[in-house]
Amino acid sequence: MKAALLGYGTVGKGADAVLKGSGVEVSRILARRPRPELGERLTLDMSDVLGDPDISVVAECIGGYEPAHGFLRASLEAGKSVVSSNKQMIARYLRELVSLARERGLSIAFSAAVGGGIPWLVNLVRTAGADRITGLGGVMNGTTNFILNAMQGGGGDFADALAEAQRLGFAEADPSADIDGIDVRAKISISADLAFDVFLDPETVPVLGIRHITAADVANFRELGLVCRLIGRADRTDSGAAVYAEPMLFGAGSAEQSLPGAMNLISLEAERAGRMSFSGPGAGMGPTGSSVALDILDISRGRSAFDAISCQNVIENDTDGVLHRYYARGFSKLPFEAESRTGDAVITGPVSVSAMHAAVSAALEAGDRPFAASLAGR
Ligand code: HSE
């Protein structure tokens, strides 16, 4: 079987390496600039991919909304199955692309979009096929886990840790997507879509990032015996789902507290199977490239787990009913009662996710540099 890769950055290169000798031939690679090392396989023109009847799978590793989305649509319209590692684009266009794939009897798979090399989405789909998933979530961004570990380890400076994550190929081209939680928003949206077989507009997911965390916050957490992680969370509700992304503080004994480096740790809760956790490298060339390659191989063998999804039922996101206690600092006016104080921060009583996220937005608009993190399980 022949496949084409769109993009030859970290992920495309990784997928190409894994596919060597696999039985799938990467016969075309679309790149933006001449790359002599790719020889005859290189093309700068997408019509060379679309017009080649021998190519049956097109894997997109470009990133961004366009032209990635247009290229996948055109590939499906040309009768080719598609694979993508592009979480922002998949989160936004999942419903449309799955519908198009189903109309044409083709496959669409995107394991690499969430969890890098971890077989998270395929197991989520598999579990959802025979069980009722009630909730899911966890640490889904390697860059911020790396930064938080560096800061919590003692000597770590935010900027140095970010630069190292960029050097190692974890961070997004624009790392504000990592730091501000936009990356996690896409990943938790896609995960919720598959777990509940629905479609949720990712723009409706409230997000808090770690941009304004300070060394003093980390010292406060240490004193409380807590460690900060940036998490995504989705719970099934009567009317749809409650989906959000925010920093969360985990205590001793939790798997999240000791999660090293850029690792991810994502769990699901299902009515019959119970709670299951998946952990591993969530980013980088080898892990993410492997996921793309495995999606292509699964399609070539006619057994893609993603063939079971529909994701056509559009649902609303409502986080009013999710209550957390929050660590909050840097608000000139915090509209919640403090239950206790730690350093220059407060711990609030139970506050809804929607109310706390609105309070952070208001503080940012007022020119504050607020930081808020929920307390896991409290
Ligand atoms: N920037 C992302 C991360 C890459 O750090 O997790 C993998 O999606």
Side-chain angles (χ1 to χ4, degrees), residues 87 112-113 115-116 140-144 169-172 178 183 187 264 282-284 288:
K87 58 230 146 181
M140 304 176 142
N141 181 271
T143 299
T144 49
F170 304 148
E172 295 303 298
D178 295 302
D183 176 79
K187 290 170 174 171
N264 285 192
T288 315

XYZ file of all heavy atoms in Angstrom, residues 87 112-113 115-116 140-144 169-172 178 183 187 264 282-284 288, ligand 1:
151
model
N -4.210 18.383 16.394
C -5.320 18.434 17.369
C -6.220 19.642 17.205
O -7.444 19.526 17.346
C -4.772 18.370 18.790
C -3.798 19.465 19.130
C -2.549 18.911 19.749
C -1.362 19.727 19.334
N -0.103 19.269 19.857
N -2.425 10.396 17.086
C -1.319 11.258 17.525
C -1.797 12.617 18.020
O -1.016 13.368 18.607
C -0.331 11.456 16.376
N -3.085 12.934 17.805
C -3.570 14.257 18.202
C -3.651 14.412 19.715
O -3.600 15.519 20.242
C -4.941 14.522 17.569
N -2.069 12.718 23.384
C -1.249 11.731 24.105
C -0.018 11.268 23.355
O 0.639 10.327 23.813
N 0.335 11.897 22.242
C 1.564 11.536 21.518
C 1.609 10.052 21.195
O 0.834 9.553 20.386
N -2.294 16.146 29.844
C -2.292 15.908 28.397
C -1.297 16.798 27.662
O -1.314 16.841 26.429
C -3.682 16.220 27.832
C -4.795 15.457 28.485
S -6.370 15.983 27.815
C -7.229 14.438 27.753
N -0.501 17.550 28.405
C 0.455 18.439 27.732
C 1.850 18.223 28.314
O 2.077 18.455 29.506
C 0.026 19.903 27.883
C 0.983 20.858 27.182
O 1.949 21.319 27.770
N 0.762 21.124 25.920
N 2.764 17.770 27.461
C 4.117 17.441 27.897
C 4.929 18.671 28.276
O 5.682 18.656 29.259
N 4.772 19.730 27.492
C 5.572 20.939 27.716
C 5.315 21.517 29.105
O 6.256 21.838 29.841
C 5.234 21.982 26.630
O 5.562 21.411 25.371
C 5.994 23.274 26.827
N 4.050 21.639 29.479
C 3.762 22.237 30.786
C 4.144 21.286 31.921
O 4.569 21.728 32.981
C 2.287 22.650 30.917
O 1.465 21.563 30.499
C 1.979 23.868 30.085
N 11.646 19.338 21.126
C 10.569 19.117 20.144
C 9.209 18.856 20.766
O 8.318 18.345 20.099
N 8.999 19.198 22.051
C 7.691 19.001 22.689
C 6.761 20.183 22.434
O 5.570 20.013 22.234
C 7.803 18.885 24.228
C 8.720 17.820 24.733
C 9.409 17.986 25.921
C 8.882 16.636 24.032
C 10.246 17.005 26.407
C 9.711 15.640 24.511
C 10.406 15.824 25.699
N 7.340 21.381 22.533
C 6.510 22.598 22.559
C 5.900 22.877 21.184
O 6.451 22.484 20.150
C 7.349 23.774 23.009
N 4.768 23.546 21.200
C 4.134 23.978 19.959
C 4.988 25.062 19.307
O 5.792 25.724 19.968
C 2.753 24.554 20.257
C 1.775 23.548 20.811
C 1.590 22.352 19.887
O 1.128 22.525 18.753
O 1.926 21.234 20.306
N 0.680 25.951 24.520
C 0.939 25.026 25.633
C 0.645 25.716 26.961
O -0.111 25.210 27.789
C 2.428 24.595 25.637
C 2.807 23.782 24.414
O 2.179 22.744 24.190
O 3.729 24.200 23.686
N -3.704 24.019 23.874
C -3.370 22.658 23.424
C -4.232 21.628 24.178
O -4.813 20.723 23.580
C -1.870 22.429 23.685
C -1.409 21.030 23.347
O -1.194 20.755 22.158
O -1.253 20.213 24.281
N -7.236 18.850 23.041
C -7.095 17.420 23.359
C -8.264 16.905 24.202
O -8.743 15.785 23.994
C -5.764 17.191 24.084
C -4.552 17.377 23.166
C -3.261 17.391 23.969
C -2.044 17.437 23.062
N -0.799 17.662 23.808
N 2.699 12.194 29.940
C 1.245 12.405 30.069
C 0.667 11.276 30.910
O 1.243 10.179 30.971
C 0.557 12.352 28.698
C 0.767 13.595 27.841
O 0.106 13.773 26.827
N 1.694 14.464 28.214
N 3.988 11.940 25.856
C 2.878 12.611 25.182
C 3.289 13.476 24.020
O 2.446 14.111 23.381
N 4.586 13.531 23.727
C 5.050 14.418 22.662
C 6.396 13.920 22.157
O 6.970 12.990 22.711
C 5.178 15.848 23.213
N 6.891 14.557 21.092
C 8.217 14.230 20.574
C 8.146 13.389 19.311
O 7.115 12.803 18.970
N 5.127 10.446 18.739
C 4.044 10.985 17.911
C 4.116 10.412 16.499
O 3.088 10.063 15.893
C 4.096 12.527 17.903
O 4.293 12.960 19.255
C 2.820 13.127 17.388
N 3.029 20.701 22.599
C 2.426 19.436 22.858
C 2.829 18.957 24.259
C 2.860 18.455 21.799
O 3.765 19.532 24.816
O 2.202 18.062 24.780
C 2.109 17.160 21.799
O 0.761 17.347 21.495
